[in-house]
Amino acid sequence: MGSEAAAVVPSSLVQESFAELEKQRELITSCTLLWKELSDHFSTLERVLEIKSEALRSKRQSLDGSTRRTLGSLRRRELSIDASVDLALAKLDERRVAAVQALTAAAAAEGELDLAAKLRSLCTKVDFDGFFNLVVAKRKEVELLRSELPTALADCIDPAKFVMDAISGVFPVDKRPVKSPNDLGWACVLVLESLVPVLADPELGTERLLVPRSIRERAKETAKKWKEGLEQRGGVECVKPPDAHTFLQYVVTFGIIEKDDKELYQRLVVSFAWRRQMPKLAISLGLEDKMEDIIEELINKGHQLDAINFVFEAGLKEKFPPVPLLKSFLKDSKIDLLTSEDDNNSGQSVNNTCRKEQSVIRAAMKCIQDHKLEAEFPLENLQKRLEHLEKVKVEKKKHSGGGPAKGPANKRTRANNGGPMPPAKAGRLTNNAYVSFPAAPAFVRSPSAHSTCPAAAPYPYDSPAGHGVYGSRSPPAIRDPYGYPAEVSPAPVGASYHSPPMSYPAYGNYNNGVGGYHNVVAPSYQQVYYR
């Protein structure tokens, strides 16, 4: 009886037991998965913490090394203070004797001194007015000035004060009683650049400029006056390029960079990015962390060649490869030229369009050569295109009778859409001067070309020695930035080929993967800039 009772188990009890076992199994599985997730999560956290700890250790070691170097430099400078004082006193006495001798011999030997000796004599005599006038008068000998000015300024008793007094007549405002049409901003920048190596710290170099406190305070007041007058002149959009460049170089030379003015510096750098000194100035102004933004802004505005200069200066080739930017520049320029060709089919426009395309190609070639990109972007196709365009110009001249084009050939013209006027003398610039096609009519290549703002010329020391002085006027015969003579000045917008449009061979195969140009919506054309 007992065995029979034990053998009888209700089916409901068995089902409940299996259900309970299933719940336990699911619970164990859930706990196992949860444990695995937690284990992976904590393992990831541990790895992240290890990476961050290693980065912190590396940064600490770097900071420790930098601190040791700085302390060592400070100790060396502290130990050399007495010797520096003795050296300064000896140099002061030496300069005093030299000044007396210069004053005695100046009248008799004035006509016999070469440029270098005249500069040193004026610096020794603290004749800052005569010094600045001599620099302006010798603008055709810019390279010689550039090499001799630092040596001459080193003979000044107080070089920083001497330079500040020398340029005070034209910066921050032009105080000359009789103003010539020539803008003297180029001379201010040249002198300010030449002062930098003279003020360099013996230990730290140009990272720290030895400017006396009184001079630094005076420089701050001058910079403040310039910024206050900026709005009166119409803001950044209307400031003249030489004025803006002088201001930025002034700030760098006298070490008065203000954190609150970084936005202003960036706007000025972007507005005048086509000037060859701007990439280096941007770094000196403390805009290293803004270089990517500057480059992207230039690219978006269609200034790819200017952007490439900033890319190389900032060491951002990996993020902004230069070859695609070059191809984009050539493609956009091609579209602009085709658009102008469709808009205007007059015979006179043929040579104008040829010259524009030649300027584009030469600008790209100059950029490639400056940055040694020949291996990545061969020049053969571009050179062949230049030769082809020259033949086209010759043929068109023959068909038109061979006579020169009538009308003024040296006047600058504006774009049909009210665009900017190329700066005077710009066609003769040699350093880092490229043609640029803005992507939209609203953007002007240079704020100085605003319809309400006067046009200003680039600095003459960007030009080869021996050029003439034309003030705000264009020179009679413009040369392009790459040594190729141009028959006439930049042509009016709307120029195009007269007969059936010519075929355009690919520039370095830059149009691979790009459809026909006539199927692309072309941006509004603005005039070529010969900078």
Side-chain angles (χ1 to χ4, degrees):
M1 295 292 293
S3 59
E4 293 178 1
V8 177
V9 179
S11 61
S12 60
L13 181 60
V14 174
Q15 291 177 354
E16 290 178 359
S17 299
F18 276 105
E20 185 65 26
L21 287 174
E22 184 65 23
K23 289 180 181 179
Q24 294 297 325
R25 187 186 68 79
E26 291 178 356
L27 181 61
I28 291 172
T29 302
S30 178
C31 289
T32 302
L33 294 174
L34 181 60
W35 168 253
K36 188 177 184 305
E37 290 178 3
L38 290 173
S39 178
D40 292 343
H41 176 68
F42 282 110
S43 298
T44 302
L45 288 178
E46 186 177 359
R47 287 195 298 271
V48 170
L49 288 174
E50 287 178 356
I51 293 172
K52 289 185 176 180
S53 298
E54 182 62 32
L56 288 174
R57 281 194 294 271
S58 176
K59 185 175 291 187
R60 180 178 177 180
Q61 291 175 357
S62 176
L63 290 175
D64 288 343
S66 176
T67 301
R68 286 194 298 271
R69 289 192 296 271
T70 302
L71 290 175
S73 176
L74 289 173
R75 282 193 292 269
R76 290 193 300 271
R77 291 171 62 182
E78 184 178 0
L79 293 174
S80 65
I81 286 178
D82 293 338
S84 298
V85 171
D86 294 339
L87 180 63
L89 291 174
K91 194 170 185 179
L92 181 63
D93 188 62
E94 177 185 339
R95 288 172 176 172
R96 180 183 61 80
V97 173
V100 173
Q101 293 176 348
L103 287 171
T104 304
E110 185 67 27
E112 302 174 4
L113 297 177
D114 59 11
L115 178 58
K118 288 180 180 179
L119 289 170
R120 291 196 297 271
S121 174
L122 292 169
C123 289
T124 304
K125 294 185 293 184
V126 198
D127 184 359
F128 48 81
D129 285 334
F131 170 84
F132 191 76
N133 290 335
L134 178 61
V135 171
V136 172
K138 297 296 182 179
R139 62 190 301 168
K140 294 183 181 180
E141 303 177 46
V142 167
E143 293 307 318
L144 180 59
L145 283 172
R146 192 187 300 280
S147 63
E148 295 294 343
L149 280 174
T151 304
L153 291 173
D155 288 341
C156 294
I157 295 177
D158 189 344
K161 183 178 184 300
F162 181 85
V163 168
M164 188 175 290
D165 290 337
I167 68 174
S168 61
V170 293
F171 182 83
V173 294
D174 194 338
K175 303 173 184 174
R176 292 175 294 170
V178 179
K179 295 179 176 61
S180 66
N182 299 327
D183 196 308
L184 302 184
W186 68 269
C188 295
V189 173
L190 180 59
V191 174
L192 288 168
E193 288 178 341
S194 302
L195 179 61
V196 172
V198 179
L199 300 179
D201 187 290
E203 294 289 342
L204 303 178
T206 55
E207 293 182 8
R208 180 173 183 267
L209 300 177
L210 301 179
V211 182
R213 182 176 300 176
S214 59
I215 298 300
R216 194 185 297 272
E217 293 301 320
R218 179 180 166 188
K220 287 182 179 179
E221 288 298 319
T222 301
K224 182 179 179 181
K225 289 179 181 178
W226 189 89
K227 288 184 290 185
E228 289 174 350
L230 185 61
E231 292 304 322
Q232 298 176 2
R233 296 190 294 270
V236 173
E237 292 73 16
C238 276
V239 66
K240 295 190 292 184
D243 286 347
H245 196 161
T246 302
F247 168 72
L248 294 177
Q249 186 63 55
Y250 191 89
V251 168
V252 169
T253 299
F254 292 108
I256 54 172
I257 299 170
E258 300 285 349
K259 291 183 178 179
D260 295 339
D261 290 336
K262 290 292 183 70
E263 183 179 351
L264 172 62
Y265 302 155
Q266 183 174 344
R267 290 175 62 196
L268 290 171
V269 166
V270 171
S271 297
F272 306 104
W274 47 274
R275 302 182 83 86
R276 65 182 177 84
Q277 299 95 333
M278 280 301 159
K280 289 185 180 296
L281 267 182
I283 298 294
S284 301
L285 289 164
L287 298 177
E288 299 96 332
D289 57 334
K290 298 292 185 181
M291 291 298 276
E292 292 187 9
D293 296 337
I294 292 173
I295 292 168
E296 289 177 353
E297 186 173 354
L298 291 173
I299 293 172
N300 292 335
K301 290 178 176 178
H303 297 187
Q304 293 94 335
L305 296 188
D306 297 332
I308 290 173
N309 297 329
F310 281 82
V311 166
F312 277 88
E313 188 64 35
L316 296 173
K317 284 181 61 179
E318 296 298 325
K319 184 161 186 178
F320 300 97
V323 172
L325 292 177
L326 278 165
K327 293 178 180 179
S328 174
F329 168 73
L330 288 168
K331 184 189 75 172
D332 293 347
S333 302
K334 173 71 72 63
I335 294 173
D336 289 334
L337 288 169
L338 290 175
T339 303
S340 66
E341 178 182 332
D342 292 339
D343 292 342
N344 190 334
N345 200 31
S346 65
Q348 176 62 30
S349 67
V350 175
N351 285 340
N352 296 333
T353 304
C354 285
R355 276 193 296 273
K356 292 173 187 176
E357 188 174 355
Q358 285 177 319
S359 295
V360 168
I361 297 174
R362 287 170 183 153
M365 293 177 66
K366 184 67 165 58
C367 181
I368 293 169
Q369 292 167 347
D370 285 348
H371 300 299
K372 297 178 175 58
L373 297 172
E374 291 89 344
E376 303 174 60
F377 199 116
L379 298 175
E380 287 79 7
N381 288 339
L382 295 175
Q383 187 61 47
K384 288 179 182 178
R385 182 61 182 164
L386 274 181
E387 294 172 0
H388 174 71
L389 289 171
E390 193 60 36
K391 291 179 181 178
V392 170
K393 287 169 59 178
V394 172
E395 290 298 323
K396 289 295 179 181
K397 277 189 176 181
K398 289 181 180 178
H399 291 310
S400 62
K406 295 182 179 181
N410 64 332
K411 292 188 178 180
R412 295 168 288 139
T413 55
R414 293 186 180 273
N416 289 340
N417 59 3
M421 180 183 293
K425 303 189 289 297
R428 293 168 289 141
L429 307 188
T430 57
N431 295 310
N432 198 16
Y434 303 131
V435 181
S436 182
F437 290 87
F443 176 77
V444 292
R445 189 70 181 84
S446 165
S448 65
H450 191 276
S451 58
T452 60
C453 306
Y459 298 146
Y461 64 77
D462 284 344
S463 307
H467 60 72
V469 179
Y470 300 98
S472 60
R473 296 175 289 111
S474 297
I478 293 182
R479 286 185 176 274
D480 70 21
Y482 317 104
Y484 292 86
E487 290 83 350
V488 294
S489 63
V493 175
S496 63
Y497 295 114
H498 178 56
S499 40
M502 295 182 296
S503 60
Y504 287 75
Y507 297 158
N509 200 28
Y510 74 87
N511 59 339
N512 283 350
V514 180
Y517 295 138
H518 292 285
N519 296 328
V520 182
V521 177
S524 179
Y525 175 81
Q526 291 206 8
Q527 186 160 340
V528 175
Y529 273 78
Y530 299 79
R531 295 167 299 159

